[in-house]
Amino acid sequence: MITLRQNADCYFLCALATVAEFPDLVMKTWCRPQNPKLGIYRMTLCKNGWWQIVTMDDIVPTKGKLPVYAKNNEEPNELWVSMMEKAYAKVHGS
């Protein structure tokens, strides 16, 4: 189960829950090449019908060792949900 702290992300949460059912779709959102040594990742997201490549760092707000916002409750060490949320926020101007 994926949880988000803010209710305003309900559409985003529904989309993530749907994508989570298909691991191949999750893998397709990640662009190659990644550079984990430098903490640089790239994902593709669609906004207003246009696919965009989003480049971001791997810094995620945490409380203890768990992400503060989006996270996978069943697999707390999985970061794709947090990184997807970060890419979504970046595409929408945050």
Side-chain angles (χ1 to χ4, degrees):
M1 172 191 282
I2 299 168
T3 59
L4 294 174
R5 182 173 280 193
Q6 299 173 348
N7 291 334
D9 290 335
C10 62
Y11 293 111
F12 178 67
L13 176 60
C14 291
L16 280 184
T18 301
V19 169
E21 294 293 323
F22 303 95
D24 290 344
L25 287 177
V26 174
M27 294 304 295
K28 286 181 182 180
T29 62
W30 295 94
C31 295
R32 301 285 185 244
Q34 304 291 344
N35 197 336
K37 289 182 182 179
L38 296 177
I40 299 172
Y41 295 91
R42 295 175 356 138
M43 300 184 87
T44 55
L45 292 178
C46 185
K47 181 180 178 189
N48 299 329
W50 294 92
W51 287 96
Q52 300 177 22
I53 295 176
V54 182
T55 303
M56 67 207 141
D57 58 30
D58 62 355
I59 299 171
V60 177
T62 60
K63 184 176 183 180
K65 292 185 177 184
L66 296 176
V68 173
Y69 299 108
K71 61 182 170 256
N72 182 339
N73 285 339
E74 294 174 8
E75 297 289 336
N77 293 326
E78 235 178 42
L79 289 178
W80 76 267
V81 177
S82 297
M83 296 305 285
M84 183 73 76
E85 181 186 34
K86 188 169 186 167
Y88 177 84
K90 190 170 183 179
V91 164
H92 289 88
S94 178

